[in-house]
Every structure is written in structure tokens, then in C-alpha cells.
Amino acid sequence: MLECVRHLHKNKKWEKFRVFEDINRYKSDEYAQALLTAVNFALKEGFDPFEYEKQFQEQVREQIAPASIKNKVWTIMQGLSFFLQKWEKRDNERATLRRYQHPIELLTEWLTVRKLQNQPLDILTDEHIEAFLEEHKERLTWSKRTYNNHKELFADDLQIPG
């Protein structure tokens, strides 16, 4: 039964889902309890938040990405460049762009040294990212916060087509 509700996240730990629904707006124990009751009821009735999220993300991808992008076999470098181009088109502040540019530049250098930059994007694994992060944490003496920010970028934010 648990396998239907919770999936292993990166084959290491249980994936979490969070429900906040205006919790900071109301800031009361009664509201929090009502929210908890509603979530528990939905789960008992068969609602799978992970499946819902997957379906939602798939719908968003279908609306955004043209067929030529979806069916293309991307190299790692093409995927990273495409990701940066999309962020640059959003007219973000320089600091926001830098948040993505610098880690991707470091990753690009790391991949190039290992001659992986022209490999298909789908060969890039969590193990590659972890090795990159660990090496740079040691070499650049990153703080825990810097390490975690980079890890979050590659784990959550970096959505490359494919």
C-alpha cells in the first residue's frame, strides 16, 4: 500500500509532498488542523499527490514545448544552453541569471574535462551531479549553504528538455 502513495526519491529516501494552502495567511491551529483533516481524507479516498503532480507537469510540458523540441535528441551542452537561453528570455534580474549561469559554467567545465559534454543528455545521472558537487565543494571550499544551493539548483530547478 505504501508503494502506491509514496515513491522513493532518487532511490534513497521517501519523497515528501507538502500542502500549505494559505497556511501563513491564517496562522491558526484550527486552520492547520482542518487542512490536515482534508489531506488525510483525500489520501484515504485514493488521491495520489505524486501522480497528480506528474500529470500536471506533463500537461505543462505538452503546452509549452513544440514537438521539434520534445523529439530532439539533446546533447548535454545543448540542453544546458537551451535552459540558460530560456531563463535569459524571461528578463530576470542579473543576480537571478547569475544564480543559474555560474553553476552551469562550473558543470560545463567539469563535463568537458571528462569529455561528456557532447554525450546524449539522458546519460547525465544523479551520480554525475553528486561527483561534480563533491569535487567542487572540496576544491572551492564551499560553505554548506553554497553546496546546498547548487544541489537544489541541479535537483529541482534545472529542467532541461528531453
Side-chain angles (χ1 to χ4, degrees):
M1 177 64 181
L2 274 179
E3 290 81 20
C4 296
V5 178
R6 301 173 89 188
H7 305 286
L8 284 179
H9 182 64
K10 299 183 181 183
N11 296 325
K12 294 182 183 175
K13 58 185 177 182
W14 291 112
E15 182 178 356
K16 297 177 185 177
F17 74 94
R18 293 185 168 98
V19 179
F20 299 107
E21 304 302 319
D22 293 331
I23 195 80
N24 288 329
R25 180 180 297 172
Y26 297 106
K27 296 181 183 176
S28 71
D29 290 338
E30 294 83 20
Y31 182 78
Q33 189 59 44
L35 185 58
L36 178 62
T37 302
V39 169
N40 285 333
F41 176 77
L43 291 172
K44 286 177 186 172
E45 293 295 312
F47 175 71
D48 183 351
F50 304 107
E51 188 60 34
Y52 174 79
E53 183 65 22
K54 280 189 234 173
Q55 290 173 357
F56 176 74
Q57 292 298 329
E58 189 58 35
Q59 288 174 347
V60 169
R61 280 190 205 103
E62 290 294 323
Q63 293 172 356
I64 294 174
S68 62
I69 291 175
K70 284 190 274 185
N71 298 328
K72 180 177 178 167
V73 177
W74 294 80
T75 67
I76 295 171
M77 293 302 298
Q78 288 173 327
L80 292 172
S81 295
F82 182 79
F83 173 81
L84 284 175
Q85 287 173 6
K86 287 292 188 184
W87 271 95
E88 288 170 356
K89 287 182 182 177
R90 294 181 182 178
D91 291 329
N92 288 305
E93 294 290 326
R94 176 89 176 118
T96 302
L97 291 175
R98 186 84 177 126
R99 176 177 182 258
Y100 294 101
Q101 288 172 335
H102 183 66
I104 289 175
E105 287 169 6
L106 292 175
L107 178 62
T108 300
E109 291 171 14
W110 188 86
L111 292 165
T112 303
V113 167
R114 285 153 187 79
K115 298 184 180 4
L116 295 171
Q117 75 276 17
N118 294 318
Q119 295 297 313
L121 183 58
D122 59 0
I123 69 132
L124 190 62
T125 64
D126 290 341
E127 287 77 23
H128 290 109
I129 301 299
E130 287 177 26
F132 158 76
L133 290 170
E134 288 298 322
E135 184 178 313
H136 281 76
K137 179 176 114 177
E138 295 296 321
R139 189 168 62 88
L140 301 174
T141 60
W142 282 348
S143 68
K144 290 178 183 177
R145 181 176 184 168
T146 301
Y147 177 87
N148 287 334
N149 286 343
H150 283 70
K151 184 177 179 180
E152 181 182 328
L153 166 75
F154 291 115
D156 299 333
D157 295 344
L158 190 60
Q159 296 296 316
I160 301 172

